[in-house]
Amino acid sequence: MDITPRIVAQSSIIQSYAQGRFKISGTVFDSPVIVTPLTAISWSHVDVGAADAVTAIQSAIAALKAPAEILLIGTGAALPSVLPAWVRQGRSHFGCAVDIMDTPAACRTFNVLQTEGRGVVALLMPV
């Protein structure tokens, strides 16, 4: 039985991540990235604990015009020791569910949700 997920042509798939790089649908990025079902772009590093994190993330998502039902934030190799209050209130800030995890988990989760056809956006910090 073939259990290979069906991947829609032109969709973003995270192929690899390592040593500060991402390979997404054949393109290599040497910086943090935002990945949507249809595109991936470089973006500036955002410290999720910073006071301006919500504004920076909202701006990045708005620029892509990518509707999301789930926002994944990959924080690098590890999770911050204390998650900011806005994570618990993510839906009110972003209009969607927000999940913060380490970048490897965020990459795997993005690919699974993408193959399910879910509206997912991932903001990923390098490991």
Side-chain angles (χ1 to χ4, degrees), residues 20-22 29-33 41-43 124-126:
R21 292 185 154 180
F22 295 95
F29 295 87
D30 292 320
S31 65
V33 294
I41 62 167
S42 294
W43 70 299
L124 305 171
M125 303 300 160

Side-chain angles (χ1 to χ4, degrees), residues 16-117:
S16 65
Y17 55 88
Q19 300 172 338
R21 292 185 154 180
F22 295 95
K23 184 175 182 185
I24 302 166
S25 299
T27 302
V28 175
F29 295 87
D30 292 320
S31 65
V33 294
I34 300 175
V35 189
T36 73
L38 298 176
T39 190
I41 62 167
S42 294
W43 70 299
S44 299
H45 177 85
V46 172
D47 176 0
V48 295
D52 64 345
V54 171
T55 303
I57 294 168
Q58 286 171 330
S59 297
I61 294 170
L64 288 172
K65 299 180 178 149
E69 61 182 279
I70 302 166
L71 170 61
L72 303 174
I73 301 176
T75 59
L79 282 172
S81 59
V82 177
L83 294 178
W86 62 261
V87 173
R88 293 185 296 277
Q89 301 164 346
R91 188 171 297 278
S92 65
H93 291 297
F94 302 104
C96 63
V98 176
D99 201 353
I100 293 186
M101 56 191 77
D102 63 40
T103 293
C107 290
R108 293 186 301 271
T109 302
F110 176 87
N111 284 345
V112 168
L113 294 172
Q114 166 69 329
T115 60
E116 292 175 352

